[in-house]
Amino acid sequence: MNLQNKTAFITGSTRGIGQQIAIGLAEKGCNIIVHGRTKANCQTTLALLEKYKVKTHSVYGDLAHPEEVEKVIQQVEKLNIDVEILYNNAAIMRPYRHDYWSHTQEDWSWSMQVNVFAPYAFCKAFIPKMMTNGFGRVINLVSGIQDQPELSPYSTSKAALAKLTKDLSVKLDETAVRINSLDPGWLQTDLGGEYADHPVEAVMPGALQPALIENDGPNGTTFFALNA
Ligand SMILES: NC(=O)c1ccc[n+]([C@@H]2O[C@H](COP(=O)([O-])OP(=O)(O)OC[C@H]3O[C@@H](n4cnc5c(N)ncnc54)[C@H](OP(=O)(O)O)[C@@H]3O)[C@@H](O)[C@H]2O)c1
C-alpha cells in the first residue's frame, strides 16, 4: 500500500507511541495531523516532522471533555482535508490502585471518555467520508494488559475499544475501509513507565502494518506491533 500523499490523523502524537507512528508515516510520504492536549504540546512532533517532505498540521483538545472532542473534529474539518488514516492512539491510565476496590467514579468516567467515547466520536466523524471516498484505515490502540484489577478502569476501557473495533468492522466488511486494533506491546513511555520491556522505538515498523494492508485486508482483527 502506497501511503504517499495520504493524510493521517494520529490522536496523542505529541510523544510516545503516537509520535513514533507520526514519524513512521511521514517517512512513507504521508501527510500528518498531529494532536495533543494543547497547541504547544504538538510543537516537538511538528519539529521532528520538518525533515520529511510532507504537509503537517496540528489540532488540539483534551479528550476528557466531549465538547473539546467536538472542537478537535471541527479543527480537522476546517483543514479541508479528508482523513484517510485514523489512529485512535491517545489514552490515559489512571493511577495504580493498590486497593483495587478504591477506583473512583472519576477514574472510570475519565478512562471511558478518553479511551472509548472519544475514539468512537472520531470514528463517527471520519469513517462515513472514508466509505464515500473508497479508502480508509482506522487503527485503535488496545492493550494486552491482563488480570490487573488494580488498573481496571484502563484495562476495561481498552477491552471496550477492542470490542467496538470488532463491532464496527462488521459494517465495513464490504467497503474499502479497514478497522483494526493494534496492541503495541509494553513500551517505555510516560504511560508504559520506565520498567517496560522495550524502548518506544520498538513499536516500529509493526505499528504501521494495519495502515499498510490492502483494501481487502484484515478487518476487525488485532495486530501486534512487536510481532512484525
Ligand atoms: N506504552 C505502553 O506500554 C502501552 C501498552 C499497551 C497499549 N498502549 C497504548 O498505546 C497508546 C499510546 O500510549 P503511550 O504509551 O504512547 O502514551 P503516552 O506516552 O502517555 O502519550 C499519550 C499521548 O496521548 C495524549 N493524551 C493523553 N491524555 C490526553 C487527553 N486527555 N486528551 C488528549 N490527548 C491526550 C498525550 O498528549 P499530551 O502530550 O498533550 O498530553 C500524548 O500525546 C495508548 O492508547 C495506550 O493505551 C501503550
Side-chain angles (χ1 to χ4, degrees):
M1 177 56 63
N2 182 1
L3 299 185
Q4 201 92 27
N5 288 324
K6 299 233 180 278
T7 297
F9 172 38
I10 307 137
T11 68
S13 40
T14 60
R15 51 192 162 94
I17 294 165
Q19 184 178 72
Q20 293 296 313
I21 292 169
I23 294 168
L25 289 172
E27 276 172 357
K28 298 211 170 289
C30 197
N31 301 319
I32 306 292
I33 306 173
V34 177
H35 162 262
R37 282 176 301 168
T38 66
K39 205 174 173 58
N41 290 0
C42 298
Q43 291 311 312
T44 310
T45 302
L46 288 173
L48 289 169
L49 296 177
E50 268 171 19
K51 67 176 175 182
Y52 305 100
K53 289 193 172 95
V54 299
K55 295 186 190 113
T56 60
H57 312 270
S58 69
V59 297
Y60 61 94
D62 188 336
L63 307 185
H65 309 292
E67 62 282 6
E68 290 210 27
V69 175
E70 283 312 311
K71 280 189 189 151
V72 171
I73 292 167
Q74 285 165 17
Q75 290 170 59
V76 174
E77 285 171 349
K78 261 198 176 161
L79 296 172
N80 265 323
I81 307 163
D82 290 335
V83 172
E84 293 161 298
I85 301 165
L86 166 65
Y87 273 86
N88 275 312
N89 167 78
I92 53 135
M93 188 168 74
R94 300 292 288 160
Y96 189 93
R97 300 281 187 208
H98 291 281
D99 173 4
Y100 49 80
W101 297 119
S102 61
H103 298 295
T104 63
Q105 177 66 38
E106 193 197 20
D107 289 338
W108 283 103
S109 303
W110 197 340
S111 304
M112 293 304 284
Q113 170 57 37
V114 176
N115 301 354
V116 186
F117 303 160
Y120 173 70
F122 291 132
C123 287
K124 184 167 137 181
F126 301 118
I127 291 178
K129 195 70 186 286
M130 292 177 183
M131 291 167 77
T132 309
N133 290 350
F135 179 86
R137 299 288 177 269
V138 180
I139 299 105
N140 292 332
L141 272 282
V142 298
S143 172
I145 192 167
Q146 276 186 6
D147 306 332
Q148 288 204 45
E150 297 84 355
L151 288 171
S152 277
Y154 173 74
S155 53
T156 306
S157 72
K158 287 294 168 180
L161 185 59
K163 176 63 174 144
L164 175 66
T165 306
K166 264 196 172 307
D167 284 0
L168 292 178
S169 73
V170 174
K171 293 290 174 198
L172 300 176
D173 252 346
E174 304 302 319
T175 77
V177 182
R178 306 283 87 179
I179 185 168
N180 288 293
S181 295
L182 172 69
D183 179 346
W186 192 22
L187 303 164
Q188 290 152 15
T189 64
D190 293 334
L191 188 149
E194 60 183 313
Y195 300 114
D197 292 335
H198 303 276
V200 66
E201 292 80 9
V203 81
M204 302 303 293
L208 299 190
Q209 256 196 337
L212 290 166
I213 55 176
E214 297 297 328
N215 287 349
D216 60 353
N219 191 33
T221 62
T222 302
F223 286 74
F224 296 88
L226 299 179
N227 290 354

